[in-house]
Amino acid sequence: DIQMTQSPSSLSASVGDRVTITCRSSQSISYYLNWYRQKPGKAPELLIYGASSLQTGVPSRFGGSGSGTDFTLTISSLQPEDFATYHCQQTYTIPRSFGQGTKLEIK
Amino acid sequence: QVQLSQWGAGLLKPSETLSLTCAVHGGSFSGYYWNWIRQPPGKGLEWIGEINHGGSTNYNPSLRGRVTMSIDMSKNQYSLKLRSVTAADTAVYYCARCMFAELSMDVWGQGTTVTVSS
């Protein structure tokens, strides 16, 4: 199985800050990497697919990059609704594994 | 706009079978994988498996043959059964649609909390 590791596991930031979350896979997954945001008590929502493609309707402050084994999610200017947990997921192979999540908290 | 609604028993005893159903509103089954994902309390997401409109399935090997997914296109529904549950199966279970081309989960159900306790 491919293991997905996110860093950091948690971070604190302020509204307006630029933040970056990293996801690393245990073997190459090409660009089959997705990012989700999960607000407390809610289902995850798709932000980025294919490592860098912005899902329809998602604000442009979200951006993704990377290929192979190393990927990043960048939020250019944090908004109040962005304080949530972020998950990466590989869909290169079965099982379609997730990272452990990164909790983004208000400083 | 496609929406998923899900339901099933929320409280089970050890060794019982978990059974959940997800209904697809406003869309077609074709061209997608239909997934189940779960999230234990305070933990990350775990992919359970997927089924396509033809009934072909892929499951997470970690569930060791306990899982079965099925699809009923006449009702626009698909289902999950997980046999011989234990406390470790306590989680919020989500259904989700996965696009064939992009292989990303773009529509999710609301989640069902399942607790396994004697």
Side-chain angles (χ1 to χ4, degrees):
Chain A
D1 294 5
I2 295 177
Q3 308 303 315
M4 305 301 293
T5 304
Q6 291 180 232
S7 60
S9 295
S10 65
L11 78 154
S12 298
S14 302
V15 173
D17 283 354
R18 178 184 180 91
V19 299
T20 298
I21 299 169
T22 297
C23 181
R24 176 166 290 176
S25 57
S26 60
Q27 62 189 74
S28 177
I29 57 171
S30 185
Y31 55 85
Y32 290 92
L33 190 284
N34 306 314
W35 289 99
Y36 303 86
R37 175 178 66 181
Q38 186 178 27
K39 298 174 183 177
K42 300 296 186 182
E45 51 185 323
L46 178 65
L47 300 174
I48 302 286
Y49 64 91
S52 60
S53 296
L54 193 67
Q55 171 68 356
T56 302
V58 172
S60 59
R61 65 180 181 272
F62 292 95
S65 64
S67 66
T69 60
D70 293 296
F71 302 86
T72 59
L73 172 71
T74 300
I75 310 172
S76 60
S77 178
L78 280 172
Q79 300 302 300
E81 61 268 31
D82 298 334
F83 292 95
T85 298
Y86 292 81
H87 306 273
C88 65
Q89 179 204 26
Q90 67 82 19
T91 52
Y92 181 74
T93 190
I94 301 294
R96 307 197 192 280
S97 44
F98 290 87
Q100 81 279 15
T102 295
K103 187 173 184 178
L104 179 52
E105 299 175 306
I106 299 176
K107 186 183 289 184
Chain B
Q1 184 174 348
V2 176
Q3 292 186 320
L4 305 181
S5 61
Q6 56 181 105
W7 64 90
L11 181 60
L12 297 172
K13 290 182 167 52
S15 79
E16 292 184 332
T17 296
L18 178 155
S19 182
L20 298 175
T21 299
C22 183
V24 180
H25 307 281
S28 167
F29 267 109
S30 299
Y32 302 97
Y33 292 106
W34 300 93
N35 285 252
W36 291 98
I37 298 102
R38 68 182 183 180
Q39 186 170 36
K43 296 188 177 180
L45 300 167
E46 180 183 23
W47 182 80
I48 298 171
E50 65 189 14
I51 187 168
N52 69 10
H53 68 279
S56 295
T57 55
N58 291 305
Y59 300 138
N60 193 325
S62 69
L63 293 170
R64 278 169 278 172
R66 296 192 293 133
V67 63
T68 302
M69 295 176 64
S70 59
I71 197 164
D72 186 341
M73 294 181 67
S74 68
K75 294 183 178 180
N76 266 22
Q77 295 174 358
Y78 67 106
S79 298
L80 169 70
K81 291 190 186 300
L82 182 65
R83 296 176 291 278
S84 304
V85 296
T86 69
D89 295 310
T90 294
V92 177
Y93 286 74
Y94 295 100
C95 58
R97 183 181 82 168
C98 181
M99 299 182 282
F100 267 178
E102 295 84 352
L103 286 179
S104 57
M105 297 176 188
D106 66 330
V107 182
W108 293 67
Q110 79 276 17
T112 300
T113 299
V114 176
T115 303
V116 180
S117 174
S118 56

